[in-house]
Amino acid sequence: MDYTLAIDGAPATIPGGTGVLLLHPSIGETDRIDTDFLKTDTDNFLVVSTRTTAREVEQKLEHYDVDESKAEILDTLSVERGYSRRPSERVHYVASPDDLDGIVTKTEAFLDSHGGKRRVSVDSLTEMAYYADEERVCEATKRLLDLLAEYDAVGLFHLSKEVHDEETLARFRNLFDGIVDLGVDGDLAVDFESI
């Protein structure tokens, strides 16, 4: 199954099972790329949020006119920070951003319980690595990418270029079929040669 990809300079479509790495500066404006990815050619999508709460994700989706009826959110912050939680059919929680097994399990549950075209956004790997170590995050990323392949879904994974050294960036790059590199000025460089 092919998915339309609404990213300038990238292929018009990507096959199911594709993982896309979004490299960005720490202050980079990723919301437009993220929401365009989620709302294009999609039946259901999951936002794995390690930077913001479910409420903030909902506000972002509303602001960018994304159909929230297709959304599920995995909030990894609210439990640890002691915020009030309102679990629902569409909002799920794990204890913290370093609960990598919980994140993988909840992602698999989402993919398994929905048919059609499914997308996953992981925002962000950098935040996960802040709470856990990079080695564990790298392994969890491989598991998530394997799930995308198994369920014929696609995913967009955020990673801040300024936080990690070159060796770590290269290690994550090597896991992905597509790379989108967002510059400070908003320019995009894309590499989908392996697709």
Side-chain angles (χ1 to χ4, degrees), residues 62-138:
E62 184 178 341
H63 177 76
Y64 285 95
D65 198 27
V66 181
D67 184 353
E68 292 181 63
S69 71
K70 298 179 178 182
E72 291 200 16
I73 301 167
L74 178 56
D75 178 333
T76 70
L77 286 178
S78 290
V79 175
E80 184 193 52
R81 294 189 180 170
Y83 298 150
S84 63
R85 301 179 301 280
R86 292 186 292 277
S88 69
E89 286 184 10
R90 298 199 168 276
V91 179
H92 314 280
Y93 297 90
V94 295
S96 67
D98 66 350
D99 182 2
L100 304 180
D101 287 338
I103 290 169
V104 172
T105 299
K106 295 279 190 183
T107 302
E108 183 171 20
F110 163 78
L111 293 169
D112 194 51
S113 62
H114 293 83
K117 293 192 170 183
R118 293 154 293 182
R119 295 180 186 243
V120 176
S121 167
V122 178
D123 185 8
S124 79
L125 296 174
T126 297
E127 204 70 20
M128 288 161 70
Y130 173 79
Y131 285 87
D133 61 83
E134 287 170 356
E135 178 71 38
R136 287 179 57 220
V137 173
C138 208

Side-chain angles (χ1 to χ4, degrees), residues 17-20 138-151 153 155 157 172 174-177:
T18 300
V20 178
C138 208
E139 286 306 311
T141 301
K142 290 178 189 173
R143 291 167 64 194
L144 291 169
L145 291 168
D146 286 345
L147 287 174
L148 295 180
E150 180 182 345
Y151 287 94
F157 295 69
F172 277 103
N174 289 336
L175 299 177
F176 289 87
D177 302 311

Side-chain angles (χ1 to χ4, degrees), residues 32 34-42 45 64-67:
R32 171 65 68 190
D34 199 39
T35 52
D36 282 351
F37 174 82
L38 292 172
K39 70 182 178 183
T40 304
D41 194 22
T42 305
F45 64 84
Y64 285 95
D65 198 27
V66 181
D67 184 353

